[in-house]
């Protein structure tokens, strides 16, 4: 039986939150995200996440802000076209995107966060290879 996804417990209302900043590799795309200093991320085994080593910190849109680089972003969509994978057109890094599981939020690649604000990050597996079984309602839990 496929493994169910662990829903990220980055419920930002249960813990005090801070502002984290991050960027793509070249620094053209910069963002900030409001989340706890200690949080859980998911390590999805779907084709795109496993090939890129993406660690998902999922937040509501209200807790994400693009600081610079909108002109450098390029979008890639596949399968259902719901997810909007946003890549820096200069360095190719996907620092964040709009996920299929949470189209009302953002998934930030925790590996793209700047050093200094993350106190603890717990990595949970997520079975994106069996997306329909993992998310039988067609999406993840509501963010706010």
């Amino acid at each position: 039986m496929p493994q169910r996804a662990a829903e990220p417990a980055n419920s930002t209302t249960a813990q005090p939150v801070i502002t984290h900043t991050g960027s793509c590799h070249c620094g053209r795309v910069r963002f900030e995200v409001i989340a706890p200093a200690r949080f859980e991320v998911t390590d999805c085994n779907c084709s795109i996440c496993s090939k890129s080593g993406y660690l998902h910190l999922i937040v509501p849109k209200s807790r994400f802000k693009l600081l610079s680089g909108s002109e450098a972003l390029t979008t890639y969509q596949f399968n259902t076209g719901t997810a909007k994978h946003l890549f820096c057109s200069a360095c190719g890094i996907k620092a964040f995107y709009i996920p299929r599981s949470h189209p009302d939020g953002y998934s930030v690649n925790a590996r793209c966060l700047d050093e200094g604000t993350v106190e603890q990050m717990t990595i949970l597996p997520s079975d994106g290879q069996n997306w329909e079984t993992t998310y039988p309602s067609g999406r993840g839990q509501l963010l706010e």
Side-chain angles (χ1 to χ4, degrees):
M1 174 167 251
Q3 177 184 359
R4 285 267 323 199
E7 281 290 341
N10 43 12
S11 49
T12 52
T13 56
Q15 304 176 50
V17 294
I18 61 171
T19 299
H20 303 275
T21 57
S23 70
C24 63
H25 186 257
C26 71
R28 282 184 176 89
V29 176
R30 291 212 42 85
F31 63 90
E32 65 182 28
V33 61
I34 298 170
R38 298 168 177 258
F39 53 79
E40 294 178 348
V41 296
T42 54
D43 183 9
C44 177
N45 66 357
C46 79
S47 60
I48 195 165
C49 294
S50 61
K51 286 180 184 262
S52 64
Y54 200 99
L55 293 178
H56 299 264
L57 171 61
I58 299 175
V59 297
K61 284 186 180 182
S62 64
R63 294 187 182 231
F64 177 87
K65 182 178 180 184
L66 180 61
L67 300 174
S68 63
S70 63
E71 73 287 345
L73 290 173
T74 188
T75 303
Y76 171 67
Q77 292 176 271
F78 66 98
N79 195 9
T80 67
T82 305
K84 295 181 180 38
H85 300 271
L86 302 164
F87 294 86
C88 173
S89 59
C91 67
I93 295 298
K94 178 172 72 168
F96 60 89
Y97 79 109
I98 300 169
R100 179 180 175 192
S101 64
H102 293 86
D104 56 337
Y106 282 93
S107 175
V108 172
N109 186 349
R111 290 189 162 120
C112 291
L113 294 174
D114 296 335
E115 291 184 19
T117 56
V118 177
E119 291 178 9
Q120 180 181 338
M121 178 172 35
T122 303
I123 302 171
L124 303 172
S126 176
D127 188 9
Q129 287 180 352
N130 297 290
W131 205 93
E132 286 74 14
T133 304
T134 300
Y135 297 102
S137 69
R139 59 162 296 132
Q141 67 187 15
L142 293 176
L143 296 174
E144 283 188 316

